[in-house]
Amino acid sequence: MCPRGGRLLGGAGGPLAEARLVCHCLLIEAGGSLVLVDTGLGTGDAEDPKRLGRPFRALVRPRCELGETAVRQIEGLGLDPGDVRQIVATHLDLDHAGGLGDFRTADVHVFAPELAAAKSPPLRERNRYVAAHWAHGPNWVEHDVDGDSWFGFDSVRLLPGLGVEVALVPLLGHSTGHAGVAIREAGGWLLHCGDAYFHTDEVATPPSCPPGLRAFQNIVGHDARVRRRNQERLRELARVHPHEVRLICSHDPTELEREQGA
Ligand SMILES: [Zn+2]
């Protein structure tokens, strides 16, 4: 996504310069099948960008290239997109749920309040969800908190039996039922924080954030107070457990590059 904003959005140059934001999805190989965390923009969006709505396209300026969709990148890795049997959604905003239609047979795990909000959004949130993204009728698997805890956060264990530890970690605020996704890896955990923060320095100590990204989060956020509180908790998590937990968010391109380099 190439919004204008330059340094105000963490890029380079003045306010009219193009900045760059990514939609960071994760693909997990598990028990002979594939698990996808978020789907970014999909082939349906590349074929018909208008379905994303004029405000989003004007402000965020998504590229909508077929080659950048998750399904094409999975094929590019030599894998079969039909093996994606589970999708875990941090939330259902249009830049995260656009590719659902590219994986029609997958179960889609989502925090229950998010699905409820996406299916009947209040007027002021109508632009953030695109009903066409789930018009094919996904196999929704709704989750509610069940008393489990992950580093002091509520959490819901997903996918028992797949030989991979994945947990949904509600991080409300950005949207009604926004959640992070924790994945166990060698030596610790990777926590995909979705849109709980937008710039990697927001979870650093001391925190900082380019002013345009801060304003954007306040404008699109569902509940600013809850969002800021959860961001504080993530910062604390990163500070106290730097060797056990690695945080990534959806849209920071430097974090994507760091992970790809690793
Ligand atoms: Zn987003």
Side-chain angles (χ1 to χ4, degrees), residues 1 22-23 38 56 90-91 93-96 128 174 178 194-195 198 216 220 250-251:
M1 304 185 290
V22 297
C23 295
D38 275 358
F56 177 78
T90 60
H91 61 306
D93 273 358
L94 71 180
D95 52 328
H96 299 257
R128 70 188 306 163
H174 173 72
H178 181 280
D195 286 1
F198 270 55
F216 182 77
V220 301
S250 291
H251 297 308

Side-chain angles (χ1 to χ4, degrees), residues 42-53 57 64 132:
T43 59
D45 301 313
E47 282 152 12
D48 179 20
K50 281 190 180 148
R51 75 181 192 174
L52 297 170
R57 282 184 300 134
C64 294

Side-chain angles (χ1 to χ4, degrees), residues 73-107:
Q73 292 196 53
I74 290 168
E75 287 166 356
L77 291 167
L79 299 169
D80 179 357
D83 287 340
V84 175
R85 308 228 172 85
Q86 314 284 338
I87 290 171
V88 186
T90 60
H91 61 306
L92 295 171
D93 273 358
L94 71 180
D95 52 328
H96 299 257
L100 287 178
D102 295 327
F103 306 94
R104 288 173 182 243
T105 58
D107 289 341

